Amino acid sequence: MTFTRALTDGERQRHRTSFGTAAGAYAEHRPDYAPEAVRWALAGAPGARVLDLGAGTGKLTGTLLGLDDALDDALDITAVEPDAAMLAELRRGLPSVRALQGSAETIPLPDGSVDAVVSGNAMHWFDMAAAGPEIARVLAPGGVLAGLWNVFDDGTDWVAGLARVTGPAAIGPRDVPAAWRIETAELHLPRTGADSPFHAPEQAEFPHGHRRTAESLVATLGTKAGVLVMPEQERADLLARARAHLAGHPATAEGEFTLPLLTSVLRVRRRP
């Protein structure tokens, strides 16, 4: 199976709905987000009401909560997630957060009720022809939309090698810095070519890291959509290649190590 070509609509739907089957593993093994990246994502928002859209198990939501001590105004956070299993993990892990079932295309909030919409490793699944106007609807005037992605820093030799042995199903075009910049530059625009309610796109990257062992990093790769939808034997073979690569490198063979990441951000603004 290859993921270098564009997915069909049916494949996209299968990928975007695959995460609920691994909600517990996702909650355990996916990284949080660099706080500096989240602060940059929110810069210029007209207020402190923030929607985490496509919130998954709450990885970005948790980082937002952690920012409260460093901000002048406490954030008013709402999380919206379509998958029931992922939402259940979010509610279990972050019981104080208002968490609602909904999607980017159908957001269960009133008009103009948030000042910023952020999305962690999910904006590429949005149908922006429908989601763009819906996000603009719930944003206050001057509001911002920001997608955040944790990408592998393939400037590190063993990370580049891991990408080679696992292929794009595990570490795909949005998962390394250079390709991420290209893949997300116009992600706020509808694929139909229709006008967008957002403008002034900006991209920025912030150093981050994730403490892992070889086994926990293999488990992290196992939560990627391209891996989740693989036939069982194909998935097992991919993860075995990852495990062998990590076992053969001095930096990752034993004990804990830091997986070098960048939290990369695309930020756009609601048109007046």
Side-chain angles (χ1 to χ4, degrees), residues 41-42 60 117-120 123 144-149 265-268:
L42 298 177
L60 179 54
V117 174
V118 296
S119 176
M123 189 174 164
V144 299
L145 165 65
L148 297 91
W149 289 262
V265 189
L266 169 69
R267 182 178 67 192
V268 293

Side-chain angles (χ1 to χ4, degrees), residues 11-163:
E11 288 169 333
R12 279 179 57 82
Q13 179 64 13
R14 186 180 176 211
H15 280 65
R16 71 184 291 192
T17 58
S18 65
F19 299 107
T21 62
Y26 196 108
E28 181 178 359
H29 294 296
R30 284 292 185 107
D32 61 4
Y33 294 83
E36 284 300 321
V38 181
R39 277 191 280 269
W40 187 85
L42 298 177
R49 301 170 299 171
V50 181
L51 167 61
D52 183 1
L53 186 58
T57 63
K59 293 296 181 178
L60 179 54
T61 315
T63 306
L64 288 165
L65 284 172
L67 289 181
D68 277 353
D69 292 340
L71 297 175
D72 293 334
D73 298 318
L75 297 177
D76 178 5
I77 302 166
T78 301
V80 168
E81 164 58 33
D83 187 276
M86 299 285 274
L87 185 62
E89 287 289 341
L90 189 157
R91 287 171 170 163
R92 181 186 61 78
L94 301 171
S96 66
V97 173
R98 180 191 185 201
L100 307 174
Q101 190 159 25
S103 70
E105 297 77 19
T106 308
I107 302 172
L109 294 177
D111 295 359
S113 56
V114 298
D115 301 297
V117 174
V118 296
S119 176
N121 276 79
M123 189 174 164
H124 51 277
W125 299 121
F126 297 172
D127 175 5
M128 290 304 291
E134 182 70 349
I135 294 168
R137 178 187 67 78
V138 301
L139 273 173
V144 299
L145 165 65
L148 297 91
W149 289 262
N150 281 316
V151 302
F152 292 75
D153 185 356
D154 60 350
T156 302
D157 286 347
W158 72 261
V159 176
L162 182 65

Side-chain angles (χ1 to χ4, degrees), residues 168-206:
I171 302 178
R174 284 180 303 273
D175 295 326
V176 293
W180 173 86
R181 296 180 200 112
I182 297 168
E183 290 284 322
T184 63
E186 297 183 341
L187 203 57
H188 60 292
L189 302 176
R191 288 184 293 157
T192 60
D195 290 340
S196 172
F198 300 100
H199 70 136
E202 302 170 273
Q203 291 175 309
E205 298 166 348
F206 300 84

